Amino acid sequence: MPSTISRYILRRIIAYLLVMTLIALAALLLERSLRVVGLVAGWNGAIGMVFRMLINLIPHYLGIALPAAFFFGVLLTFSHLNRNSELAVLHASGLGLHRLVRPVAALALLLALIAAVTFGFLQPYGRYAYRALAHAVTNVSLSLAVQAGKFLHVDNLTFMAESITPGGGGLRRVFVYERRKDGGSVTTTASEGVFTPSPAGRGAMLVLHDGMRMEVRADGRPVGTLNFAEYRWPIESGEDLIFRDRGKDERELTLPELWQARSHPPPGITGAELRAELHARIVQILSVLFLPFLAMTLGLGGIRGGQTYGIALGLVILVLYEQLLQFGHSMAELGRVSPWLALWAPFALFALGSLALFVRASFHVTRGAPQGPAGRIGEALQRLGRALARRTA
């Protein structure tokens, strides 16, 4: 019987979890896609670039959507059980909240592991890949500055295309002269060409068709000539066209990398920034474990409107907790406050408060069913409303 009830509860929670996560991801990605489309509008193959950039943003938004969806999934599930008097029946049969929380806590542990992978690995790599693609779009000036019939000089390259197709996608009769650091040079000509983003997100790729490539040494002696049907040329000359290596920002470091570098921060990152990021990620992961205790408590209401009060109260608590963590993270980054006080103190307050409310709700029984703070708040507001109505009557 308990296993059947556990499966019933988990099915409802997981259904809410999946639906709300997908809705939240779709809404967040849609909002970002409007900015990304404007960013890549001048690129050939812009649609593919949009999808690549949005895919790299999924771990970032998943870290926002998944904990919130889990919290409200648990809250709505237990609110449904309470409204249909199922909690009262379960409580009467000896299945109190302390028994019902076991499958939910197991699911919370699984989601905490997913959060650890997301915050610890997927987000750093996804953030770096997104920035690399954005850099390729915004900082590679060669493909955007080309004008038909005019020579363009960028660092050690001289580039010219006799004509450009409408929209700037294709090039005709291309000439490229590259000056090498050793004094030599490479001259490349092609009948057609096109600029595309580099597959690695580092600079641009010049794809040439039906051409010839001739290399000359510094003393003027020819090295050789190469005829090609297609030649892919990474255009990475100059610092503006090359994106930096990963790890120049602490948010691009994985959890093991943050731990290893905590005593010796990499160049460009202060020790306070690195420690703040490390502590903030651990706190975010551990917070997932305590979400069901608060959500189950807020899902208990003694009146018809208890669900509404529970959702509103839960939303307020989550927003305040997130804002406290963000403020603490900022203060810890600046080195003004220790991460233990700025981040772990709000976490301890959230964790202990959630457990305290859960324990109190487990032993506070009204009309045969447990009752949480949302129900008591709702009843108090109703009594206040009736009192005000009598005074104004």
Side-chain angles (χ1 to χ4, degrees):
M1 178 66 176
S3 61
T4 303
I5 295 171
S6 297
R7 289 195 296 269
Y8 172 69
I9 292 174
L10 288 177
R11 278 199 303 268
R12 293 194 66 91
I13 293 175
I14 292 173
Y16 282 125
L17 172 68
L18 294 177
V19 171
M20 286 190 285
T21 299
L22 291 176
I23 292 175
L25 281 178
L28 292 170
L29 290 174
L30 179 62
E31 185 274 334
R32 178 56 71 94
S33 67
L34 299 177
R35 285 182 282 171
V36 173
V37 167
L39 187 66
V40 305
W43 278 85
N44 179 60
I47 298 300
M49 175 63 82
V50 169
F51 280 109
R52 289 174 62 189
M53 295 180 75
L54 292 180
I55 287 173
N56 287 311
L57 286 174
I58 288 178
H60 171 69
Y61 289 131
L62 187 63
I64 299 173
L66 193 61
F70 176 54
F71 176 83
F72 286 107
V74 175
L75 192 155
L76 292 174
T77 295
F78 278 84
S79 178
H80 172 83
L81 295 175
N82 187 66
R83 289 198 322 273
N84 292 344
S85 300
E86 292 173 284
L87 274 183
V89 175
L90 292 173
H91 189 271
S93 64
L95 295 177
L97 287 182
H98 64 284
R99 296 283 299 277
L100 299 178
V101 76
R102 294 177 184 176
V104 186
L107 180 59
L109 179 60
L110 175 61
L111 292 179
L113 294 176
I114 295 175
V117 174
T118 302
F119 289 115
F121 299 93
L122 299 182
Q123 282 190 358
Y125 282 107
R127 180 174 284 109
Y128 175 77
Y130 173 82
R131 289 175 173 177
L133 291 172
H135 181 273
V137 172
T138 56
N139 293 302
V140 178
S141 59
L142 180 59
S143 60
L144 303 177
V146 171
Q147 298 182 22
K150 295 185 178 181
F151 285 95
L152 175 67
H153 303 280
V154 179
D155 294 317
N156 61 341
L157 287 179
T158 300
F159 184 90
M160 194 271 288
E162 290 189 13
S163 63
I164 303 175
T165 59
L171 309 172
R172 296 288 185 270
R173 292 181 291 279
V174 180
F175 169 84
V176 184
Y177 176 80
E178 180 184 11
R179 185 176 60 258
R180 295 285 180 82
K181 293 181 179 180
D182 59 2
S185 64
V186 178
T187 303
T188 305
T189 59
S191 61
E192 296 179 347
V194 64
F195 284 106
T196 63
S198 172
R202 299 169 60 91
M205 179 79 71
L206 176 59
V207 182
L208 300 174
H209 299 279
D210 300 326
M212 181 180 65
R213 183 175 173 88
M214 182 176 64
E215 184 175 353
V216 178
R217 293 190 178 93
D219 57 6
R221 290 183 299 166
V223 176
T225 301
L226 171 68
N227 294 311
F228 57 84
E230 179 180 285
Y231 183 76
R232 294 179 173 269
W233 190 353
I235 306 297
E236 296 182 343
S237 56
E239 291 298 324
D240 290 340
L241 302 180
I242 304 176
F243 193 59
R244 57 174 174 75
D245 294 330
R246 185 180 64 86
K248 301 300 182 181
D249 185 333
E250 68 276 4
R251 291 180 297 175
E252 296 172 359
L253 297 174
T254 64
L255 267 180
E257 290 170 345
L258 286 171
W259 177 261
Q260 293 172 2
R262 68 190 187 280
S263 301
H264 304 284
I269 304 176
T270 66
E273 290 173 338
L274 192 144
R275 288 189 294 272
E277 182 68 18
L278 174 63
H279 285 266
R281 291 200 209 172
I282 296 175
V283 165
Q284 287 176 312
I285 294 168
L286 294 180
S287 295
V288 177
L289 296 173
F290 296 92
L291 289 176
F293 297 100
L294 178 61
M296 289 176 64
T297 304
L298 295 180
L300 306 177
I303 59 172
R304 188 178 298 274
Q307 178 182 6
T308 303
Y309 296 113
I311 293 175
L313 186 57
L315 183 61
V316 170
I317 292 175
L318 284 189
V319 170
L320 287 178
Y321 180 57
E322 182 63 25
Q323 291 299 314
L324 274 176
L325 290 183
Q326 290 184 7
F327 178 74
H329 189 190
S330 300
M331 297 298 290
E333 277 186 331
L334 297 174
R336 297 178 180 176
V337 183
S338 168
W340 294 103
L341 178 61
L343 293 166
W344 288 96
F347 168 74
L349 180 63
F350 175 78
L352 293 176
S354 299
L355 290 175
L357 288 174
F358 176 79
V359 171
R360 190 177 190 282
S362 298
F363 299 99
H364 185 87
V365 180
T366 302
R367 291 186 289 276
Q371 185 180 12
R376 294 192 292 274
I377 291 173
E379 291 177 347
L381 290 176
Q382 279 203 350
R383 288 194 298 268
L384 178 62
R386 287 194 295 266
L388 292 175
R390 285 195 300 267
R391 287 192 176 187
T392 56

